[in-house]
Amino acid sequence: MSQQAVNGVSHRGKVLTLDSMNPNVKRVEYAVRGPIVQRAVQIEKELKEGVKKPFTEVIKANIGDAHAMGQKPITFLRQVLALCSYPELLEDNMFPEDAKKRARRILESCGGHSIGAYSASQGIECIRQDVARYIERRDGGIPSSPDNIYLSTGASDAIVTMLKLLVCGEGRSRTGVMISIPQYPLYSAALADLGAVQISYYLDEDKCWSLDVAELRRALNAARQHCNPRVLCIINPGNPTGQVQSRQCIEDVIRFAKEEHLFLMADEVYQDNVYAEGCKFHSFKKVLFEMGPEYSSTVEMASFHSTSKCYMGECGFRGGYMEVINMDPEVKAQLTKLVSVRLCPPVPGQALLDLVVNPPQPDEPSYTTFMKERTAVLAALAEKARLTEETFNTVPGITCNPVQGAMYTFPRITLPQKAIDKAKEEGQVPDMYYCMRLLEEEGICLVPGSGFGQREGTFHFRMTILPPTEKLKVVLQKIREFHLRFTQEFS
Amino acid sequence: MSQQAVNGVSHRGKVLTLDSMNPNVKRVEYAVRGPIVQRAVQIEKELKEGVKKPFTEVIKANIGDAHAMGQKPITFLRQVLALCSYPELLEDNMFPEDAKKRARRILESCGGHSIGAYSASQGIECIRQDVARYIERRDGGIPSSPDNIYLSTGASDAIVTMLKLLVCGEGRSRTGVMISIPQYPLYSAALADLGAVQISYYLDEDKCWSLDVAELRRALNAARQHCNPRVLCIINPGNPTGQVQSRQCIEDVIRFAKEEHLFLMADEVYQDNVYAEGCKFHSFKKVLFEMGPEYSSTVEMASFHSTSKCYMGECGFRGGYMEVINMDPEVKAQLTKLVSVRLCPPVPGQALLDLVVNPPQPDEPSYTTFMKERTAVLAALAEKARLTEETFNTVPGITCNPVQGAMYTFPRITLPQKAIDKAKEEGQVPDMYYCMRLLEEEGICLVPGSGFGQREGTFHFRMTILPPTEKLKVVLQKIREFHLRFTQEFS
């Protein structure tokens, strides 16, 4: 007799159970906030409660969360946000005039002059204008229209919305979406949720995680047997792999997309995070337009940007935008309708985005401080990118490509066969076992490579390079010691 | 020869067209921001450009957007938000100590003490604790656990997420979701997007838009022929209909949900917006628990709340939460995983929610001003609710139920047959034709009843009661005159 019947409660079981829930949701996986992070949070609680550990704090290097790692907010951005939140401060003398000017302009474009009003679903018009002008400056004058800009709740929101528009068909006609392996798991999660077919193309680890069109073609041809490939997703600079694509590579990808009739999704949220000498960010849009009208008037594309990364790292505000190019006007109307159901992206995030695309100018009072803060963040990241690569490459059993851009390293780890066997015994994939051990023994939280995808038989982890330099040195040293100890243990 | 071929550009047509896009998205409709609002925005632009109209401004009474209608933000909320945005202000003397205290507590619970850090995906823990305590106070001490609270990007986000979990099956096994008619079109839009089956139950206009269990049963039995009904959605206080459910009615609904094995979704975002004498807000959770363990330990439920409505009207911040009750722990783990893909709700919206559930107390310096502002907003709304009902009911051909709660009126309009014929000629549904004419002639933007659903052959519109009293009087007078003129024209 069941417990419920014992209590005299008639019971048919729950309406919503693991068996009766949306099966697509069950297939969703998001390693960046997966079981290892849950365990990290638990350990933090245990430390607070006084449980003795071999370390005194957990360092969460699992996610690109700059402020959580101690990076200070950029003064100008926060001054304007405070002014927008409490416009009475506009009367105060403590804020510079350019901050007040920006705040007034944003407030004037809000309903009732309040960031508490809903905005247009596509985003506040004057901010979309500023975004378009930013893109034009970035791309050497190639025109951008505010009508093609959609503000969003972080880049993730826009990426999922765009994928949702593109997915249709059943069985062999089901939409296939090409994503890199390793990938940022938002993509695989969104595809699982939408019931779309994931088409994996592999980045070449031996060539600094570069993208090879022959590999794109191999993956595409294989996929054509069982689905309808329609979309090609690119992350540049790369997450989790940190590579920065060459102009030539981007041109090849665009040519491939056109030949194969694919919609291009260019995830360019790390466009200001380029560190390696000789590397430069080239936007897909700029390259597309430089390839001439045969391309620029036909290839359909969406490009994504965010306020969460770059020098500002304002993840909590969930600001972002996408620009759509060559999108069918009828589809654009459908997109506008779709985003209107959620009413609007958070207005504080929209305001923040406005400041990012329209920062202080040389003749404005906040310019010097702003530039000093911005440069300091980016210079420190460049230093940490170099430090990370160098240190890892001194460890036998770890090989690490240069962190050319973004905020992560994705080093390859060689695991002894005995460790692989041990992991299987414990019912874990080997790199999860490795990362869990590292967490328990050193208090460092990384994400196993299996959460991003990797070639069969290879193992990696993703680590952000965001901890402050002195702390990063400690982290790298601890991983080094752990790796040697771990390898020793299973040799 | 196509234009493309003329230009020498080989072209296979677009990848993404109306024919090749996600068909579910095409079925999505969201009248609150539909064609009439797009026309309203266009007219505003025309006015700015100097085009002569029979009016000088467009009054957008289509959406519950308090600040856009001139409502001032609550001082305390905005002071704390400014402090959280720019913590240097904590050193300043211009802010009261209780505002500083709240800001410090929120900042201390943020990664790196910055609202620019990601929060936990479920929301900041101390804010979830405050929400749970708020619910306990509201419900006379019935326990609430922070583990059952999920912060969200407005209530819409949580509602869509919850529906997504619940939808599965194909053909006759496809999940059916019961929604009221008239309804808030987020529901029909989300169901179309998810490919779920909408089961419409009708509210009784003759009985003040009340909900009758016999009608629920009729709708359910009819739906069982073609789908698998699993969910019952209730909006209380009602949107667009403004009714407030009696305790008895809620009890009947809960009993029905239990008998018929349905998951209950209680949209309670207007819980502080109750105006009519003798009406009181009863939360579904409180009633559920008062019905005894046979109910409180079995009926699965989610309740939704938001920072966008009530007295604060902070729509732009996109703050909200849901509380889940009796949810299967395995499903809860899936829910937590699903929300983690979008990383976290906007942190400024989370902070705002914290202030709403944890407002100034009588012994704190901001209490008097806060209460004065809060009471003024709610008293004005009550007055406008009364004014709206009274005025409409003096117009021949308009009948209007009392606005017991929420922020809308949904009066019934009698349209002459010739007007209905004229609308058909113009290819519009009759109430859209009516509302478009009103917009063009008087500059007032309402939403046609067809956007919310209504009994065949009846016509309505939804109007917010949010404009300031003096402006609302003008709006009501203009609608009165328009209605008489319109009726005259087609008689």
Coordinates of all heavy atoms in Angstrom, one line a residue, chain B residues 29-67:
Chain B
E29 N -0.1 34.9 -32.0 CA -0.7 36.3 -32.2 C -0.6 37.0 -30.8 O -0.8 36.3 -29.8 CB -2.2 36.2 -32.6 CG -2.3 35.9 -34.1 CD -3.8 35.8 -34.5 OE1 -4.6 36.5 -33.9 OE2 -4.1 35.1 -35.4
Y30 N -0.4 38.3 -30.8 CA -0.3 39.0 -29.6 C -0.9 40.4 -29.8 O -0.2 41.3 -30.1 CB 1.2 39.1 -29.1 CG 1.3 39.6 -27.7 CD1 0.8 39.0 -26.6 CD2 1.8 40.9 -27.5 CE1 0.8 39.5 -25.3 CE2 1.9 41.4 -26.2 CZ 1.4 40.7 -25.2 OH 1.4 41.3 -23.9
A31 N -2.2 40.4 -29.5 CA -3.0 41.6 -29.9 C -2.5 42.9 -29.2 O -2.6 44.0 -29.7 CB -4.4 41.4 -29.7
V32 N -2.0 42.7 -27.9 CA -1.7 43.8 -27.1 C -0.7 44.7 -27.8 O -0.6 45.9 -27.5 CB -1.2 43.4 -25.7 CG1 -0.8 44.5 -24.8 CG2 -2.4 42.6 -25.0
R33 N 0.2 44.1 -28.6 CA 1.1 44.9 -29.4 C 1.0 44.6 -30.9 O 1.9 44.5 -31.6 CB 2.6 44.6 -28.9 CG 2.8 45.0 -27.5 CD 4.2 45.4 -27.3 NE 4.4 46.4 -26.3 CZ 5.5 46.9 -25.8 NH1 6.6 46.4 -26.3 NH2 5.6 47.8 -25.0
G34 N -0.3 44.4 -31.3 CA -0.6 44.0 -32.7 C -0.6 45.2 -33.6 O -0.1 46.3 -33.3
P35 N -1.3 45.0 -34.8 CA -1.4 46.0 -35.8 C -1.9 47.4 -35.4 O -1.4 48.4 -35.9 CB -2.3 45.4 -36.9 CG -2.9 44.1 -36.3 CD -2.0 43.8 -35.1
I36 N -2.8 47.3 -34.4 CA -3.3 48.6 -34.0 C -2.3 49.5 -33.3 O -2.2 50.7 -33.4 CB -4.6 48.4 -33.1 CG1 -5.4 49.8 -33.0 CG2 -4.3 47.9 -31.8 CD1 -6.9 49.6 -32.9
V37 N -1.4 48.8 -32.6 CA -0.3 49.5 -31.9 C 0.7 50.0 -32.9 O 1.2 51.1 -32.8 CB 0.3 48.7 -30.8 CG1 1.3 49.5 -30.0 CG2 -0.8 48.1 -29.8
Q38 N 1.0 49.2 -33.9 CA 1.9 49.6 -34.9 C 1.4 50.9 -35.6 O 2.1 51.8 -35.9 CB 2.1 48.5 -35.9 CG 3.0 47.4 -35.3 CD 3.0 46.1 -36.1 OE1 2.8 46.1 -37.3 NE2 3.3 45.0 -35.5
R39 N 0.1 50.9 -35.9 CA -0.5 52.1 -36.5 C -0.5 53.3 -35.6 O -0.2 54.4 -36.0 CB -2.0 51.8 -36.9 CG -2.8 52.9 -37.5 CD -2.2 53.4 -38.9 NE -2.8 54.7 -39.3 CZ -2.2 55.7 -39.8 NH1 -0.9 55.6 -40.1 NH2 -2.8 56.8 -40.2
A40 N -0.7 53.0 -34.3 CA -0.6 54.1 -33.3 C 0.8 54.8 -33.3 O 1.0 56.0 -33.3 CB -0.9 53.6 -31.9
V41 N 1.8 53.9 -33.4 CA 3.2 54.4 -33.4 C 3.5 55.3 -34.7 O 4.1 56.3 -34.6 CB 4.2 53.3 -33.3 CG1 5.6 53.7 -33.6 CG2 4.1 52.6 -31.9
Q42 N 2.9 54.8 -35.8 CA 3.0 55.5 -37.0 C 2.3 56.9 -37.0 O 2.9 57.9 -37.4 CB 2.3 54.7 -38.1 CG 2.9 54.6 -39.4 CD 2.2 53.6 -40.3 OE1 1.1 53.1 -40.0 NE2 2.8 53.2 -41.4
I43 N 1.2 56.9 -36.4 CA 0.4 58.2 -36.2 C 1.2 59.1 -35.4 O 1.3 60.3 -35.7 CB -1.0 57.9 -35.6 CG1 -1.9 57.2 -36.7 CG2 -1.6 59.3 -35.3 CD1 -3.3 56.9 -36.2
E44 N 1.8 58.6 -34.3 CA 2.7 59.5 -33.4 C 3.8 60.1 -34.3 O 4.1 61.3 -34.1 CB 3.3 58.7 -32.3 CG 2.3 58.5 -31.1 CD 3.0 57.7 -30.0 OE1 3.8 56.8 -30.2 OE2 2.6 58.0 -28.8
K45 N 4.4 59.3 -35.2 CA 5.5 59.9 -36.0 C 4.9 60.9 -36.9 O 5.5 62.0 -37.1 CB 6.1 58.7 -36.8 CG 7.2 58.0 -36.1 CD 8.0 57.1 -37.0 CE 8.9 56.2 -36.1 NZ 9.5 55.1 -36.9
E46 N 3.7 60.7 -37.5 CA 3.1 61.6 -38.4 C 2.8 62.9 -37.7 O 3.1 64.0 -38.2 CB 1.8 61.0 -39.0 CG 2.0 59.9 -40.0 CD 0.7 59.2 -40.4 OE1 -0.3 59.7 -40.2 OE2 0.8 58.0 -40.9
L47 N 2.3 62.8 -36.4 CA 2.1 64.0 -35.6 C 3.4 64.9 -35.5 O 3.4 66.1 -35.6 CB 1.5 63.7 -34.3 CG 0.0 63.3 -34.2 CD1 -0.4 62.8 -32.8 CD2 -0.9 64.5 -34.6
K48 N 4.4 64.1 -35.1 CA 5.7 64.8 -34.9 C 6.2 65.5 -36.2 O 6.8 66.6 -36.2 CB 6.8 63.8 -34.6 CG 7.1 63.7 -33.1 CD 8.3 62.9 -32.8 CE 8.4 62.6 -31.3 NZ 9.2 61.4 -31.0
E49 N 5.9 64.9 -37.4 CA 6.3 65.5 -38.6 C 5.4 66.6 -39.1 O 5.5 67.2 -40.1 CB 6.3 64.4 -39.7 CG 7.5 63.4 -39.5 CD 7.2 62.1 -40.3 OE1 6.2 62.0 -41.0 OE2 8.0 61.1 -40.1
G50 N 4.4 66.9 -38.2 CA 3.5 68.0 -38.5 C 2.2 67.7 -39.3 O 1.5 68.6 -39.7
V51 N 2.0 66.4 -39.5 CA 0.7 66.0 -40.2 C -0.5 66.4 -39.4 O -0.5 66.2 -38.2 CB 0.7 64.5 -40.5 CG1 -0.6 64.1 -41.2 CG2 1.9 64.1 -41.3
K52 N -1.4 67.1 -40.0 CA -2.6 67.5 -39.2 C -3.6 66.3 -38.9 O -3.8 65.5 -39.8 CB -3.4 68.6 -40.1 CG -2.8 70.0 -40.0 CD -3.6 70.8 -38.9 CE -3.0 72.2 -38.8 NZ -1.6 72.3 -38.4
K53 N -4.0 66.3 -37.7 CA -4.9 65.2 -37.3 C -6.0 65.8 -36.5 O -5.9 67.0 -35.9 CB -4.2 64.2 -36.4 CG -3.0 63.5 -37.0 CD -3.4 62.2 -37.7 CE -2.2 61.6 -38.4 NZ -2.6 60.6 -39.3
P54 N -7.1 65.1 -36.2 CA -8.2 65.7 -35.4 C -7.8 65.7 -33.9 O -8.6 66.0 -33.0 CB -9.4 64.8 -35.6 CG -9.0 63.8 -36.6 CD -7.5 63.8 -36.8
F55 N -6.6 65.4 -33.6 CA -6.1 65.3 -32.2 C -4.6 65.7 -32.1 O -4.0 65.7 -33.2 CB -6.3 63.9 -31.6 CG -5.9 62.8 -32.5 CD1 -4.6 62.4 -32.5 CD2 -6.8 62.2 -33.4 CE1 -4.1 61.4 -33.4 CE2 -6.3 61.2 -34.3 CZ -5.0 60.8 -34.2
T56 N -4.1 66.0 -31.0 CA -2.7 66.4 -30.9 C -1.8 65.3 -30.3 O -0.6 65.5 -30.4 CB -2.6 67.7 -30.0 OG1 -3.2 67.4 -28.8 CG2 -3.3 68.9 -30.7
E57 N -2.4 64.3 -29.6 CA -1.5 63.2 -29.1 C -2.3 61.9 -29.2 O -3.5 61.9 -29.2 CB -1.1 63.5 -27.7 CG -2.2 63.5 -26.7 CD -1.8 63.3 -25.2 OE1 -0.7 62.8 -25.0 OE2 -2.6 63.8 -24.3
V58 N -1.5 60.8 -29.3 CA -2.1 59.5 -29.2 C -2.0 59.0 -27.8 O -1.0 59.1 -27.1 CB -1.3 58.5 -30.1 CG1 -1.8 57.1 -30.0 CG2 -1.3 59.0 -31.6
I59 N -3.2 58.6 -27.3 CA -3.2 58.0 -25.9 C -3.2 56.5 -26.0 O -4.2 55.9 -26.5 CB -4.4 58.6 -25.1 CG1 -4.3 60.1 -25.1 CG2 -4.5 58.0 -23.7 CD1 -5.6 60.8 -24.6
K60 N -2.2 55.9 -25.5 CA -2.0 54.4 -25.7 C -2.6 53.8 -24.4 O -1.9 53.5 -23.5 CB -0.6 54.1 -25.8 CG 0.0 54.4 -27.2 CD 1.3 53.8 -27.5 CE 2.1 54.5 -28.5 NZ 3.6 54.4 -28.2
A61 N -3.9 53.4 -24.5 CA -4.6 52.8 -23.4 C -4.7 51.3 -23.7 O -5.5 50.5 -23.2 CB -6.0 53.3 -23.2
N62 N -3.7 50.8 -24.6 CA -3.7 49.4 -25.0 C -3.0 48.5 -24.0 O -3.1 47.3 -24.1 CB -3.1 49.3 -26.4 CG -1.7 49.8 -26.4 OD1 -1.4 51.0 -26.2 ND2 -0.7 48.9 -26.6
I63 N -2.2 49.0 -23.2 CA -1.3 48.2 -22.4 C -1.1 48.7 -21.0 O -1.2 49.9 -20.8 CB 0.1 48.1 -23.1 CG1 1.0 47.0 -22.5 CG2 0.8 49.4 -23.2 CD1 2.2 46.6 -23.3
G64 N -1.0 47.8 -20.0 CA -0.9 48.2 -18.6 C 0.5 48.7 -18.3 O 1.3 48.0 -17.7
D65 N 0.8 49.9 -18.8 CA 2.2 50.5 -18.7 C 2.1 51.8 -17.9 O 2.0 52.9 -18.4 CB 2.7 50.7 -20.1 CG 4.2 51.0 -20.2 OD1 4.8 51.2 -19.1 OD2 4.7 51.2 -21.3
A66 N 2.2 51.6 -16.5 CA 1.8 52.7 -15.6 C 2.7 53.9 -15.8 O 2.2 55.0 -15.9 CB 1.9 52.2 -14.2
H67 N 4.0 53.7 -15.9 CA 4.9 54.9 -16.0 C 4.7 55.6 -17.3 O 4.8 56.8 -17.3 CB 6.4 54.4 -15.8 CG 6.7 53.9 -14.4 ND1 7.9 53.8 -13.9 CD2 5.9 53.5 -13.4 CE1 7.9 53.3 -12.7 NE2 6.7 53.1 -12.4

